[in-house]
Amino acid sequence: MGGAFVAAAFLARLGGRIGLPTIPLFILAGILLGPNTPGFVLLEDPHDLEMLSALGLVLLLFYLGLEFHMDDLKTGGKKMAVAGCAYLALNVGAGLGFGFALGWGTSEALVLAGVLGISSSAIVTKILVDAGRIGNPETKPILGIIVVEDIFLALYLAALQPVISGSESAGETAWQIAKAFGFLLLLAIAARWGTKLIGRLFAIKDDELLVISFLGAAVLVSGIAEQFGVADAIAAFMVGLILGNTANGERIRELVHPLRDAFAAIFFFGFGLSIAPGDLPTVIWPVLIAVLITVVMNVGAGLFTARIYGFGAEPTANVSTTLLARGEFALILATMAAAAGLDERLSPFIAGYVLILAVLAPLVAGRSHWLAKILPGGRNTPGEEAAAIPEPEPANSGR
């Protein structure tokens, strides 16, 4: 773990000197020091960091929930739902069509629909934080789309597992979906009507006890959510949403910063450990085609979202580029596909596709003004200086 922190910090500092974002550099550190790359191997088994990586994802989404206010859901819930469903329809639909076009099989096509269709909540969150865009008007619909994606993800995983494994009945599938939906409904009820009661429980003056309390709540609820077939990410988001609307919401935001930054680095480092660069040449052309499809679909989804919200070219470009990354969910699908004995080309394809977009998304998000110039109304966008990613603020700045 110490080696992972040091390696990630070293590469990130080097990259910072030439203006590179931290995410691809954390991933690169994992690739270089992982078991799939010649040379010094820091960790033989990527699963050794699995729990720490999971904690990084939970803290990233918990922080995202803290920044998301109930008033945003009350005033813009319908628009967010429409934007999220449109995003899924475009990207999941394109992924399914691409999967069938490859001819690898029906189960493989269903897996690829999820791989191409769902953004990486962790990378999207990190981009928003690093870019200083949490307060931007287009960030609310981006977060809304992420929430819709995570809800879809919970139901999709519950339905996909028996389909690709062929081991469970339709009744068992329906039961898994019902459990996931029921738990999500319970969290939504707590967020809507339980904030005052929960606020009293977290009315803690001592910082040490407050950290232990909110960290315990986020991790415990995320763990319980997994038992119900709900992604730990959406559960952590909901806990953050609830606590962010209590009287101590601002204090919690400040206290979670260093935890979020530290364990997010481990999450991306662990992501890099799982990538085998040597397998990529066998599927390079399908990977490049899939990346192009994803870019086109994201621009289309950005334009649709802009139409709903009345955004100009620059916010539209920010929506399109910020949601481009694919990550943790795709890797979960790769694991499921391997366990089910599906086409062996799926694993290197998913690894290559995710790696390219994980590196590409932060880079293009920081230069979204280039895309804005060619979108409708792009000639009126501000200069490049306003769109460039600034240096990340210190962890305790309380953005």
Side-chain angles (χ1 to χ4, degrees):
M1 180 178 171
F5 275 128
V6 171
F10 178 73
L11 282 180
R13 290 184 68 179
L14 287 180
R17 295 180 182 277
I18 55 175
L20 290 178
T22 58
I23 295 172
L25 295 167
F26 291 156
I27 295 172
L28 177 61
I31 294 174
L32 295 177
L33 297 176
N36 302 307
T37 305
F40 176 74
V41 176
L42 182 66
L43 284 169
E44 291 287 351
D45 186 359
H47 293 292
D48 289 344
L49 286 180
E50 188 171 16
M51 182 59 68
L52 295 173
S53 295
L55 183 57
L57 178 61
V58 164
L59 288 172
L60 275 168
L61 271 295
F62 175 72
Y63 175 80
L64 192 62
L66 289 171
E67 294 286 352
F68 203 85
H69 298 286
M70 288 300 300
D71 290 341
D72 299 322
L73 287 176
K74 294 174 185 176
T75 58
K78 290 183 179 179
K79 287 183 178 180
M80 290 179 184
V82 172
C85 290
Y87 186 91
L88 286 172
L90 286 171
N91 287 274
V92 174
L96 185 63
F98 175 75
F100 281 122
L102 282 179
W104 292 355
T106 300
S107 294
E108 287 78 1
L110 291 172
V111 170
L112 288 172
V115 171
L116 270 68
I118 307 293
S119 304
S120 168
S121 301
I123 297 178
V124 169
T125 305
K126 192 68 164 59
I127 290 172
L128 291 173
V129 171
D130 285 355
R133 292 177 182 167
I134 291 292
N136 285 16
E138 72 273 9
T139 297
K140 298 306 180 185
I142 289 174
L143 300 187
I145 291 172
I146 289 294
V147 171
V148 172
E149 283 187 321
D150 282 341
I151 294 172
F152 170 80
L153 162 60
L155 304 179
Y156 179 77
L157 280 178
L160 182 65
Q161 179 61 52
V163 171
I164 66 175
S165 64
S167 59
E168 297 180 14
S169 64
E172 181 65 22
T173 301
W175 169 239
Q176 294 296 332
I177 294 175
K179 281 200 306 180
F181 183 77
F183 190 80
L184 286 172
L185 183 61
L186 184 63
L187 289 177
I189 291 172
R192 178 63 179 86
W193 289 288
T195 304
K196 289 185 178 180
L197 174 61
I198 294 171
R200 294 193 191 103
L201 296 176
F202 284 84
I204 303 170
K205 294 182 179 180
D206 184 79
D207 284 351
E208 178 185 8
L209 295 180
L210 182 58
V211 169
I212 294 171
S213 299
F214 74 68
L215 184 61
V219 176
L220 178 62
V221 174
S222 298
I224 295 173
E226 282 202 334
Q227 300 303 312
F228 282 85
V230 177
D232 53 4
I234 183 62
F237 176 89
M238 294 299 291
V239 174
L241 176 66
I242 296 169
L243 295 184
N245 286 276
T246 64
N248 273 328
E250 185 58 39
R251 279 181 64 210
I252 294 174
R253 270 190 287 274
E254 293 178 3
L255 292 170
V256 80
H257 268 286
L259 292 169
R260 179 206 69 194
D261 292 340
F263 287 98
I266 292 294
F267 172 82
F268 293 113
F269 181 88
F271 177 42
L273 290 175
S274 65
I275 295 174
D279 294 338
L280 302 183
T282 61
V283 290
I284 188 62
W285 287 112
V287 165
L288 293 177
I289 294 171
V291 168
L292 179 61
I293 291 172
T294 303
V295 171
V296 172
M297 290 299 104
N298 270 260
V299 172
L303 290 170
F304 184 84
T305 302
R307 192 174 187 87
I308 295 174
Y309 284 87
F311 288 152
E314 189 171 351
T316 303
N318 289 343
V319 173
S320 301
T321 55
T322 303
L323 290 166
L324 188 61
R326 302 295 187 263
E328 61 279 0
F329 175 53
L331 297 181
I332 292 171
L333 285 177
T335 303
M336 290 173 58
L342 300 186
D343 195 300
E344 62 183 14
R345 290 171 291 185
L346 271 178
S347 291
F349 170 87
I350 293 173
Y353 171 76
V354 168
L355 176 61
I356 290 175
L357 287 180
V359 173
L360 185 65
L363 295 175
V364 299
R367 295 158 180 80
S368 58
H369 52 277
W370 293 351
L371 174 61
K373 289 179 180 179
I374 62 174
L375 293 176
R379 293 181 179 178
N380 299 321
T381 57
E384 294 185 3
E385 302 86 87
I389 285 187
E391 287 293 319
E393 295 182 23
N396 62 353
S397 61
R399 195 179 271 116

